[in-house]
Coordinates of all heavy atoms in Angstrom, one line a residue:
H246 N -75.6 5.4 -80.0 CA -76.2 5.0 -81.2 C -77.3 5.9 -81.6 O -78.0 6.5 -80.8 CB -76.7 3.6 -81.2 CG -75.6 2.6 -80.8 ND1 -74.6 2.2 -81.6 CD2 -75.4 2.0 -79.6 CE1 -73.8 1.3 -81.0 NE2 -74.3 1.2 -79.7
R247 N -77.6 6.1 -82.9 CA -78.7 6.9 -83.4 C -79.7 6.2 -84.2 O -80.8 6.7 -84.4 CB -78.1 8.1 -84.2 CG -77.3 9.1 -83.4 CD -76.9 10.3 -84.2 NE -78.1 11.0 -84.7 CZ -78.2 11.4 -86.0 NH1 -77.3 11.2 -86.9 NH2 -79.3 12.0 -86.4
V248 N -79.3 5.1 -84.9 CA -80.2 4.4 -85.8 C -80.4 3.0 -85.4 O -79.5 2.3 -85.1 CB -79.6 4.5 -87.2 CG1 -80.6 3.8 -88.2 CG2 -79.3 5.9 -87.7
F249 N -81.7 2.6 -85.3 CA -82.0 1.2 -84.9 C -83.3 0.7 -85.5 O -84.1 1.5 -86.0 CB -82.0 1.1 -83.4 CG -83.0 1.9 -82.7 CD1 -84.2 1.4 -82.3 CD2 -82.7 3.2 -82.4 CE1 -85.2 2.2 -81.7 CE2 -83.6 4.0 -81.7 CZ -84.8 3.5 -81.3
V250 N -83.5 -0.6 -85.5 CA -84.8 -1.2 -85.9 C -85.6 -1.5 -84.6 O -85.0 -2.0 -83.6 CB -84.6 -2.4 -86.7 CG1 -85.9 -3.1 -87.0 CG2 -83.8 -2.1 -88.0
A251 N -86.8 -1.2 -84.6 CA -87.6 -1.4 -83.4 C -89.0 -2.0 -83.8 O -89.5 -1.8 -84.9 CB -87.9 -0.1 -82.6
R252 N -89.6 -2.7 -82.8 CA -91.0 -3.1 -82.9 C -91.8 -2.1 -82.1 O -91.5 -2.0 -80.9 CB -91.2 -4.5 -82.5 CG -92.6 -5.0 -82.6 CD -92.6 -6.5 -82.5 NE -92.0 -7.1 -83.7 CZ -91.2 -8.1 -83.7 NH1 -91.0 -8.8 -82.6 NH2 -90.7 -8.6 -84.9
V253 N -92.8 -1.5 -82.7 CA -93.6 -0.4 -82.0 C -95.1 -0.8 -82.1 O -95.6 -1.1 -83.1 CB -93.3 1.0 -82.6 CG1 -94.2 2.0 -81.9 CG2 -91.8 1.3 -82.6
Y254 N -95.7 -0.6 -81.0 CA -97.2 -0.8 -80.9 C -97.7 0.6 -80.7 O -97.3 1.4 -79.8 CB -97.6 -1.6 -79.7 CG -99.1 -1.6 -79.5 CD1 -100.0 -2.2 -80.3 CD2 -99.6 -0.9 -78.4 CE1 -101.4 -2.2 -80.1 CE2 -101.0 -0.8 -78.2 CZ -101.9 -1.4 -79.0 OH -103.2 -1.4 -78.8
F255 N -98.7 1.0 -81.6 CA -99.3 2.3 -81.5 C -100.6 2.2 -80.7 O -101.5 1.4 -81.1 CB -99.6 2.9 -82.9 CG -98.3 3.3 -83.5 CD1 -97.7 2.5 -84.5 CD2 -97.7 4.5 -83.2 CE1 -96.5 2.9 -85.1 CE2 -96.5 4.9 -83.8 CZ -95.9 4.1 -84.7
L256 N -100.8 2.9 -79.6 CA -102.0 2.9 -78.8 C -103.2 3.4 -79.6 O -103.1 4.3 -80.4 CB -101.8 3.8 -77.6 CG -100.6 3.4 -76.6 CD1 -100.3 4.5 -75.7 CD2 -101.0 2.2 -75.8
T257 N -104.3 2.8 -79.2 CA -105.6 3.3 -79.8 C -106.1 4.5 -79.0 O -105.5 4.8 -78.0 CB -106.7 2.2 -79.7 OG1 -106.9 2.0 -78.3 CG2 -106.3 0.9 -80.4
A258 N -107.0 5.2 -79.6 CA -107.6 6.4 -78.9 C -108.1 6.0 -77.5 O -108.0 6.7 -76.5 CB -108.6 7.1 -79.7
A259 N -108.8 4.9 -77.4 CA -109.3 4.4 -76.2 C -108.2 4.1 -75.1 O -108.5 4.2 -73.9 CB -110.2 3.1 -76.4
E260 N -107.0 3.8 -75.6 CA -105.9 3.5 -74.7 C -105.1 4.8 -74.4 O -104.1 4.8 -73.7 CB -104.9 2.5 -75.3 CG -105.5 1.2 -75.5 CD -104.7 0.3 -76.3 OE1 -104.2 0.7 -77.4 OE2 -104.5 -0.9 -76.0
G261 N -105.6 5.9 -75.0 CA -104.9 7.2 -74.7 C -104.0 7.7 -75.9 O -103.3 8.7 -75.7
G262 N -104.0 6.9 -77.0 CA -103.1 7.2 -78.1 C -103.7 8.1 -79.1 O -104.7 8.8 -78.9
R263 N -103.1 8.1 -80.3 CA -103.6 8.9 -81.4 C -104.9 8.4 -82.0 O -105.1 7.2 -82.2 CB -102.6 8.9 -82.6 CG -101.3 9.6 -82.3 CD -100.4 9.3 -83.5 NE -100.9 9.7 -84.8 CZ -100.7 10.8 -85.4 NH1 -99.9 11.7 -84.9 NH2 -101.2 11.0 -86.6
P264 N -105.8 9.3 -82.4 CA -107.0 8.8 -83.1 C -106.8 8.6 -84.6 O -107.6 7.9 -85.2 CB -108.0 9.9 -82.9 CG -107.2 11.1 -82.7 CD -105.9 10.7 -82.1
K265 N -105.7 9.1 -85.1 CA -105.4 9.1 -86.6 C -104.2 8.2 -86.8 O -103.4 8.0 -86.0 CB -105.2 10.5 -87.1 CG -106.4 11.4 -87.0 CD -106.2 12.7 -87.6 CE -107.4 13.6 -87.5 NZ -107.2 14.9 -88.1
P266 N -104.1 7.7 -88.1 CA -102.9 6.9 -88.4 C -101.6 7.7 -88.4 O -101.6 8.9 -88.5 CB -103.2 6.4 -89.8 CG -104.7 6.7 -90.1 CD -105.1 7.8 -89.1
V267 N -100.5 7.0 -88.3 CA -99.2 7.5 -88.4 C -98.7 7.4 -89.8 O -98.9 6.3 -90.4 CB -98.2 6.8 -87.4 CG1 -96.8 7.3 -87.6 CG2 -98.7 7.0 -86.0
L268 N -98.1 8.4 -90.4 CA -97.7 8.4 -91.8 C -96.1 8.4 -91.8 O -95.5 8.7 -90.8 CB -98.2 9.7 -92.5 CG -99.7 9.9 -92.4 CD1 -100.1 11.2 -93.0 CD2 -100.4 8.7 -93.1
A269 N -95.6 8.1 -93.0 CA -94.1 8.1 -93.2 C -93.6 9.5 -92.8 O -94.2 10.5 -93.0 CB -93.8 7.8 -94.7
G270 N -92.4 9.5 -92.2 CA -91.7 10.7 -91.8 C -92.2 11.2 -90.4 O -91.9 12.3 -90.0
Y271 N -93.0 10.4 -89.7 CA -93.5 10.8 -88.4 C -92.3 11.2 -87.5 O -91.4 10.4 -87.4 CB -94.3 9.7 -87.9 CG -95.0 9.9 -86.5 CD1 -95.8 11.0 -86.3 CD2 -94.8 9.0 -85.5 CE1 -96.4 11.2 -85.0 CE2 -95.4 9.1 -84.3 CZ -96.2 10.2 -84.0 OH -96.8 10.4 -82.8
R272 N -92.4 12.3 -86.7 CA -91.4 12.8 -85.9 C -91.8 13.0 -84.4 O -92.1 14.1 -84.0 CB -90.8 14.1 -86.5 CG -90.1 13.9 -87.8 CD -89.6 15.3 -88.3 NE -88.6 15.1 -89.3 CZ -87.3 14.8 -89.1 NH1 -86.9 14.7 -87.9 NH2 -86.5 14.7 -90.1
P273 N -91.9 11.9 -83.7 CA -92.3 12.0 -82.3 C -91.1 12.2 -81.4 O -89.9 12.3 -81.8 CB -93.0 10.7 -82.0 CG -92.2 9.8 -82.8 CD -91.8 10.5 -84.1
Q274 N -91.3 12.2 -80.1 CA -90.2 12.2 -79.0 C -90.1 10.7 -78.6 O -91.1 10.0 -78.5 CB -90.6 13.0 -77.8 CG -90.6 14.5 -78.0 CD -89.2 15.0 -78.1 OE1 -88.8 15.6 -79.1 NE2 -88.5 14.9 -77.0
F275 N -88.9 10.3 -78.3 CA -88.7 8.9 -77.8 C -88.1 9.0 -76.4 O -87.2 9.8 -76.2 CB -87.6 8.2 -78.7 CG -88.1 8.0 -80.1 CD1 -88.0 8.9 -81.1 CD2 -88.7 6.8 -80.4 CE1 -88.5 8.7 -82.4 CE2 -89.2 6.5 -81.7 CZ -89.1 7.5 -82.7
Y276 N -88.8 8.3 -75.5 CA -88.3 8.3 -74.1 C -87.6 7.0 -73.8 O -88.2 5.9 -73.8 CB -89.5 8.5 -73.1 CG -90.0 9.9 -73.1 CD1 -90.6 10.5 -74.1 CD2 -89.7 10.7 -72.0 CE1 -91.0 11.8 -74.1 CE2 -90.0 12.0 -71.9 CZ -90.7 12.6 -73.0 OH -91.1 13.9 -72.9
L277 N -86.3 7.1 -73.7 CA -85.4 5.9 -73.5 C -84.8 6.0 -72.1 O -84.0 7.0 -71.9 CB -84.4 5.8 -74.5 CG -84.9 5.8 -76.0 CD1 -84.3 7.0 -76.8 CD2 -84.6 4.5 -76.6
R278 N -85.1 5.1 -71.2 CA -84.6 5.2 -69.8 C -85.0 6.5 -69.2 O -86.1 6.8 -68.9 CB -83.1 4.9 -69.8 CG -82.7 3.5 -70.1 CD -81.3 3.2 -69.8 NE -80.9 1.9 -70.2 CZ -80.2 1.6 -71.2 NH1 -79.7 2.5 -72.0 NH2 -79.9 0.3 -71.4
T279 N -84.0 7.4 -69.0 CA -84.3 8.7 -68.4 C -84.1 9.9 -69.3 O -84.0 11.0 -68.8 CB -83.3 8.9 -67.1 OG1 -82.0 8.9 -67.6 CG2 -83.6 7.8 -66.1
T280 N -84.0 9.6 -70.6 CA -83.8 10.7 -71.5 C -84.9 10.8 -72.6 O -85.6 9.8 -72.8 CB -82.4 10.6 -72.2 OG1 -82.2 11.8 -73.0 CG2 -82.4 9.4 -73.2
D281 N -85.2 11.9 -73.1 CA -86.1 12.1 -74.2 C -85.4 12.7 -75.4 O -84.6 13.6 -75.2 CB -87.4 12.9 -73.8 CG -87.1 14.3 -73.5 OD1 -86.3 14.5 -72.5 OD2 -87.6 15.2 -74.1
V282 N -85.6 12.1 -76.6 CA -84.9 12.5 -77.7 C -85.9 12.6 -78.9 O -86.7 11.7 -79.1 CB -83.8 11.4 -78.1 CG1 -83.0 11.8 -79.3 CG2 -82.9 11.2 -76.9
P283 N -85.8 13.7 -79.7 CA -86.6 13.7 -80.9 C -86.1 12.7 -81.9 O -84.9 12.4 -81.9 CB -86.4 15.2 -81.4 CG -85.1 15.6 -80.9 CD -84.9 14.9 -79.6
G284 N -86.9 12.2 -82.8 CA -86.5 11.3 -83.8 C -87.5 11.1 -84.9 O -88.5 11.9 -84.9
R285 N -87.2 10.2 -85.8 CA -88.1 10.0 -87.0 C -88.3 8.5 -87.2 O -87.3 7.7 -87.0 CB -87.4 10.6 -88.2 CG -88.3 10.5 -89.4 CD -87.6 11.1 -90.7 NE -86.7 10.0 -91.1 CZ -85.5 10.3 -91.6 NH1 -85.0 11.5 -91.6 NH2 -84.7 9.3 -92.0
L286 N -89.5 8.1 -87.5 CA -89.9 6.8 -87.8 C -89.9 6.6 -89.3 O -90.6 7.4 -90.0 CB -91.2 6.4 -87.2 CG -91.4 6.2 -85.7 CD1 -92.8 6.1 -85.4 CD2 -90.6 5.0 -85.3
D287 N -89.3 5.6 -89.9 CA -89.4 5.4 -91.3 C -90.4 4.2 -91.5 O -90.1 3.1 -91.2 CB -88.0 5.0 -91.9 CG -87.1 6.1 -91.9 OD1 -87.5 7.3 -92.0 OD2 -85.8 5.9 -91.9
L288 N -91.6 4.5 -91.9 CA -92.6 3.6 -92.1 C -92.8 3.3 -93.6 O -92.7 4.1 -94.4 CB -94.0 4.1 -91.6 CG -94.0 4.4 -90.1 CD1 -95.2 5.3 -89.7 CD2 -94.1 3.1 -89.3
D289 N -93.1 2.0 -93.9 CA -93.3 1.6 -95.3 C -94.8 1.9 -95.7 O -95.0 2.0 -96.9 CB -93.2 0.1 -95.4 CG -91.7 -0.3 -95.2 OD1 -90.8 0.5 -95.4 OD2 -91.5 -1.5 -94.9
R290 N -95.7 2.1 -94.7 CA -97.1 2.3 -95.1 C -97.7 3.1 -93.9 O -97.2 3.2 -92.8 CB -97.8 1.0 -95.3 CG -97.8 0.1 -94.0 CD -98.5 -1.2 -94.2 NE -98.3 -2.1 -93.0 CZ -99.1 -2.0 -91.9 NH1 -100.0 -1.1 -91.8 NH2 -98.9 -2.8 -90.9
E291 N -98.9 3.6 -94.2 CA -99.7 4.2 -93.1 C -100.0 3.2 -92.0 O -100.4 2.0 -92.4 CB -101.0 4.7 -93.8 CG -101.9 5.5 -92.8 CD -103.1 6.0 -93.5 OE1 -103.0 6.9 -94.3 OE2 -104.2 5.4 -93.3
T292 N -99.8 3.5 -90.8 CA -100.0 2.6 -89.7 C -101.1 3.2 -88.7 O -100.9 4.3 -88.2 CB -98.7 2.4 -88.9 OG1 -97.7 1.9 -89.9 CG2 -98.9 1.4 -87.8
G293 N -102.1 2.4 -88.5 CA -103.2 2.9 -87.7 C -103.0 2.5 -86.2 O -102.2 1.7 -85.8
P294 N -103.8 3.2 -85.4 CA -103.8 2.9 -84.0 C -104.2 1.5 -83.7 O -105.0 0.9 -84.4 CB -104.9 3.8 -83.4 CG -105.0 5.0 -84.4 CD -104.7 4.3 -85.7
G295 N -103.5 0.8 -82.8 CA -103.8 -0.6 -82.5 C -102.9 -1.5 -83.3 O -103.0 -2.7 -83.1
E296 N -102.0 -1.0 -84.1 CA -101.2 -1.9 -84.9 C -99.8 -2.0 -84.3 O -99.3 -1.0 -83.7 CB -101.0 -1.3 -86.3 CG -102.3 -1.5 -87.2 CD -102.0 -1.2 -88.6 OE1 -101.2 -1.8 -89.3 OE2 -102.7 -0.2 -89.1
T297 N -99.1 -3.1 -84.6 CA -97.7 -3.3 -84.2 C -96.9 -3.4 -85.5 O -97.3 -4.2 -86.4 CB -97.5 -4.5 -83.3 OG1 -98.3 -4.4 -82.2 CG2 -96.1 -4.8 -83.0
V298 N -95.8 -2.6 -85.6 CA -95.0 -2.7 -86.8 C -93.5 -2.6 -86.5 O -93.1 -2.2 -85.4 CB -95.3 -1.5 -87.7 CG1 -96.7 -1.5 -88.3 CG2 -95.1 -0.1 -87.0
D299 N -92.7 -3.2 -87.3 CA -91.3 -3.1 -87.2 C -90.8 -1.9 -88.1 O -91.2 -1.7 -89.2 CB -90.6 -4.3 -87.7 CG -90.8 -5.5 -86.8 OD1 -91.4 -5.4 -85.7 OD2 -90.4 -6.6 -87.2
V300 N -90.1 -1.0 -87.5 CA -89.7 0.3 -88.1 C -88.2 0.6 -87.9 O -87.6 0.1 -87.0 CB -90.6 1.5 -87.6 CG1 -92.0 1.3 -87.9 CG2 -90.4 1.7 -86.1
R301 N -87.7 1.4 -88.8 CA -86.4 2.0 -88.6 C -86.6 3.3 -87.9 O -87.4 4.1 -88.3 CB -85.7 2.2 -90.0 CG -84.3 2.8 -89.9 CD -83.8 2.9 -91.4 NE -82.5 3.5 -91.4 CZ -82.2 4.8 -91.3 NH1 -83.3 5.7 -91.3 NH2 -81.0 5.3 -91.3
V302 N -85.8 3.6 -86.9 CA -85.8 4.8 -86.1 C -84.5 5.5 -86.2 O -83.4 4.9 -86.1 CB -86.1 4.5 -84.6 CG1 -86.1 5.8 -83.8 CG2 -87.4 3.7 -84.5
E303 N -84.5 6.8 -86.4 CA -83.3 7.6 -86.4 C -83.5 8.7 -85.4 O -84.4 9.5 -85.5 CB -83.1 8.3 -87.8 CG -81.8 9.0 -87.8 CD -81.4 9.5 -89.2 OE1 -82.0 9.0 -90.2 OE2 -80.6 10.4 -89.3
L304 N -82.7 8.7 -84.4 CA -82.8 9.7 -83.3 C -82.0 10.9 -83.6 O -81.1 10.9 -84.4 CB -82.2 9.1 -82.0 CG -82.9 7.8 -81.5 CD1 -82.1 7.3 -80.3 CD2 -84.3 8.1 -81.1
G305 N -82.4 12.0 -83.0 CA -81.8 13.3 -83.2 C -80.4 13.5 -82.6 O -79.6 14.3 -83.0
K306 N -80.1 12.6 -81.6 CA -78.7 12.6 -81.0 C -78.4 11.2 -80.6 O -79.4 10.3 -80.4 CB -78.6 13.6 -79.8 CG -79.5 13.2 -78.6 CD -79.3 14.2 -77.5 CE -80.2 13.8 -76.3 NZ -80.0 14.7 -75.2
A307 N -77.2 10.9 -80.4 CA -76.8 9.5 -80.0 C -77.1 9.3 -78.5 O -76.9 10.2 -77.7 CB -75.3 9.3 -80.2
V308 N -77.6 8.1 -78.2 CA -77.9 7.7 -76.8 C -77.4 6.2 -76.7 O -77.2 5.5 -77.6 CB -79.4 7.8 -76.5 CG1 -79.8 9.2 -76.5 CG2 -80.2 6.9 -77.3
A309 N -77.3 5.8 -75.4 CA -76.9 4.4 -75.1 C -78.1 3.5 -75.4 O -79.2 3.7 -74.9 CB -76.5 4.3 -73.7
L310 N -77.9 2.5 -76.3 CA -78.9 1.6 -76.7 C -78.4 0.2 -76.6 O -77.2 -0.1 -76.8 CB -79.4 1.9 -78.1 CG -80.0 3.2 -78.5 CD1 -80.2 3.3 -80.0 CD2 -81.3 3.3 -77.8
E311 N -79.3 -0.8 -76.5 CA -79.0 -2.2 -76.6 C -80.3 -2.9 -77.0 O -81.4 -2.5 -76.7 CB -78.5 -2.7 -75.2 CG -79.5 -2.6 -74.1 CD -79.0 -3.0 -72.8 OE1 -77.8 -3.2 -72.7 OE2 -79.7 -3.1 -71.8
P312 N -80.1 -4.0 -77.7 CA -81.3 -4.8 -78.1 C -82.1 -5.2 -76.9 O -81.6 -5.5 -75.8 CB -80.7 -6.0 -78.8 CG -79.4 -5.5 -79.4 CD -78.9 -4.6 -78.3
G313 N -83.4 -5.1 -77.0 CA -84.3 -5.4 -75.9 C -84.8 -4.2 -75.1 O -85.7 -4.3 -74.3
L314 N -84.1 -3.0 -75.2 CA -84.4 -1.8 -74.5 C -85.8 -1.4 -74.9 O -86.1 -1.2 -76.1 CB -83.4 -0.7 -74.8 CG -83.7 0.6 -74.1 CD1 -83.6 0.5 -72.6 CD2 -82.7 1.7 -74.7
G315 N -86.7 -1.1 -73.9 CA -88.0 -0.6 -74.1 C -88.0 0.9 -74.2 O -87.1 1.6 -73.6
F316 N -89.0 1.5 -74.8 CA -89.1 2.9 -74.9 C -90.5 3.3 -75.1 O -91.3 2.5 -75.6 CB -88.2 3.5 -76.0 CG -88.5 3.0 -77.4 CD1 -89.4 3.7 -78.2 CD2 -87.8 1.9 -77.9 CE1 -89.7 3.2 -79.5 CE2 -88.1 1.5 -79.2 CZ -89.0 2.1 -79.9
A317 N -90.8 4.6 -74.9 CA -92.1 5.1 -75.1 C -92.0 6.1 -76.3 O -91.0 6.8 -76.5 CB -92.7 5.9 -73.9
V318 N -93.1 6.2 -77.1 CA -93.2 7.2 -78.2 C -94.2 8.2 -77.7 O -95.4 7.8 -77.4 CB -93.7 6.5 -79.5 CG1 -93.8 7.5 -80.6 CG2 -92.7 5.3 -79.9
R319 N -93.8 9.5 -77.7 CA -94.7 10.5 -77.2 C -94.9 11.6 -78.2 O -94.0 11.9 -79.0 CB -94.2 11.1 -75.9 CG -94.2 10.0 -74.8 CD -93.9 10.4 -73.4 NE -94.5 11.6 -72.9 CZ -95.6 11.7 -72.3 NH1 -96.3 10.7 -72.0 NH2 -96.1 12.9 -71.8
E320 N -96.1 12.2 -78.1 CA -96.4 13.3 -79.0 C -97.4 14.3 -78.3 O -98.4 13.9 -77.8 CB -97.1 12.8 -80.3 CG -97.7 13.8 -81.2 CD -98.6 13.2 -82.2 OE1 -98.6 12.0 -82.5 OE2 -99.3 14.0 -82.8
G321 N -97.0 15.5 -78.2 CA -97.8 16.5 -77.6 C -98.3 16.2 -76.2 O -99.4 16.5 -75.8
G322 N -97.4 15.6 -75.4 CA -97.7 15.3 -74.0 C -98.4 14.0 -73.8 O -98.7 13.6 -72.7
L323 N -98.7 13.3 -74.9 CA -99.4 12.0 -74.8 C -98.4 10.8 -75.2 O -97.7 11.0 -76.1 CB -100.6 11.9 -75.8 CG -101.7 12.9 -75.5 CD1 -102.7 12.8 -76.7 CD2 -102.4 12.6 -74.2
T324 N -98.5 9.7 -74.5 CA -97.9 8.5 -74.9 C -98.7 7.9 -76.0 O -99.9 7.5 -75.8 CB -97.7 7.5 -73.8 OG1 -96.9 8.2 -72.8 CG2 -97.0 6.2 -74.2
V325 N -98.1 7.8 -77.2 CA -98.9 7.3 -78.4 C -98.4 5.9 -78.8 O -99.1 5.3 -79.7 CB -98.9 8.2 -79.6 CG1 -99.5 9.6 -79.2 CG2 -97.4 8.5 -80.0
G326 N -97.3 5.4 -78.2 CA -96.8 4.1 -78.6 C -95.8 3.6 -77.6 O -95.3 4.3 -76.8
A327 N -95.5 2.3 -77.7 CA -94.5 1.7 -76.9 C -93.7 0.7 -77.8 O -94.3 0.1 -78.7 CB -95.2 0.9 -75.8
G328 N -92.4 0.7 -77.6 CA -91.6 -0.2 -78.5 C -90.4 -0.8 -77.8 O -90.2 -0.5 -76.6
S329 N -89.7 -1.6 -78.5 CA -88.5 -2.1 -78.0 C -87.5 -2.2 -79.2 O -87.8 -2.5 -80.3 CB -88.7 -3.5 -77.4 OG -89.2 -4.4 -78.3
V330 N -86.2 -2.1 -78.8 CA -85.1 -2.1 -79.8 C -84.9 -3.5 -80.2 O -84.7 -4.4 -79.4 CB -83.8 -1.5 -79.2 CG1 -82.7 -1.6 -80.2 CG2 -84.0 0.0 -78.8
L331 N -84.9 -3.8 -81.5 CA -84.6 -5.1 -82.1 C -83.2 -5.3 -82.5 O -82.5 -6.3 -82.3 CB -85.5 -5.4 -83.3 CG -87.0 -5.5 -83.0 CD1 -87.8 -5.7 -84.2 CD2 -87.3 -6.5 -81.9
E332 N -82.7 -4.2 -83.2 CA -81.3 -4.3 -83.8 C -80.8 -2.9 -83.9 O -81.5 -2.0 -84.3 CB -81.4 -4.9 -85.2 CG -80.2 -5.0 -86.0 CD -80.4 -5.5 -87.4 OE1 -81.5 -5.8 -87.8 OE2 -79.4 -5.6 -88.1
I333 N -79.5 -2.7 -83.6 CA -78.8 -1.5 -83.7 C -78.1 -1.4 -85.1 O -77.4 -2.3 -85.4 CB -77.8 -1.2 -82.6 CG1 -78.6 -1.2 -81.2 CG2 -77.0 0.0 -82.8 CD1 -77.8 -1.2 -80.0
L334 N -78.3 -0.3 -85.8 CA -77.8 -0.2 -87.1 C -76.6 0.8 -87.2 O -75.8 0.7 -88.1 CB -78.8 0.4 -88.1 CG -80.1 -0.5 -88.3 CD1 -81.1 0.1 -89.2 CD2 -79.7 -1.9 -88.8
D335 N -76.4 1.7 -86.2 CA -75.2 2.5 -86.2 C -74.8 2.7 -84.8 O -75.5 2.8 -83.8 CB -75.4 3.8 -86.9 CG -75.5 5.0 -86.0 OD1 -75.7 4.9 -84.8 OD2 -75.5 6.2 -86.5

C-alpha cells in the first residue's frame, strides 16, 4: 500500500524533534518495521511541535501496511515524530 491515514505526534525540540512547525507538503522519511521510505504528509494546517494530528500519508513506494502499525517520522537523521496507521486508502 502507498496511501493511508495516520495519527502522528510531532516531538518537541526538548524531546529531540523539530524546533519549527511542519507545513503542508512536508516530505520526511517514514520508518515502518525494517524499511525506510520517503513520503509526503498532507496537512490541513501548520502543525507545531508537541501536537498530535490525523494526516493523509503518501509513500514513495508500496510497503506492507495494516491498521495499528506504528512508525517513526525522521528528518535529517532525527526522529521528529511517531505515528500509527489508522486506515489504508490504497
Side-chain angles (χ1 to χ4, degrees):
H246 303 283
R247 290 186 61 225
V248 182
F249 60 96
V250 175
R252 181 162 293 140
V253 178
Y254 170 73
F255 290 99
L256 298 161
T257 64
E260 295 170 316
R263 289 173 57 97
K265 296 182 180 181
V267 174
L268 306 174
Y271 181 54
R272 295 181 161 279
Q274 289 284 119
F275 294 86
Y276 283 73
L277 304 124
R278 292 189 181 106
T279 60
T280 189
D281 63 301
V282 181
R285 186 181 77 223
L286 289 172
D287 290 334
L288 298 163
D289 293 338
R290 61 181 175 81
E291 183 178 287
T292 303
E296 288 189 62
T297 300
V298 293
D299 289 354
V300 297
R301 181 180 176 275
V302 177
E303 185 173 343
L304 299 175
K306 67 178 180 179
V308 297
L310 297 172
E311 62 188 8
L314 175 67
F316 59 89
V318 180
R319 294 187 46 92
E320 171 190 347
L323 297 174
T324 298
V325 296
S329 62
V330 175
L331 298 178
E332 177 185 3
I333 296 170
L334 300 176
D335 109 345

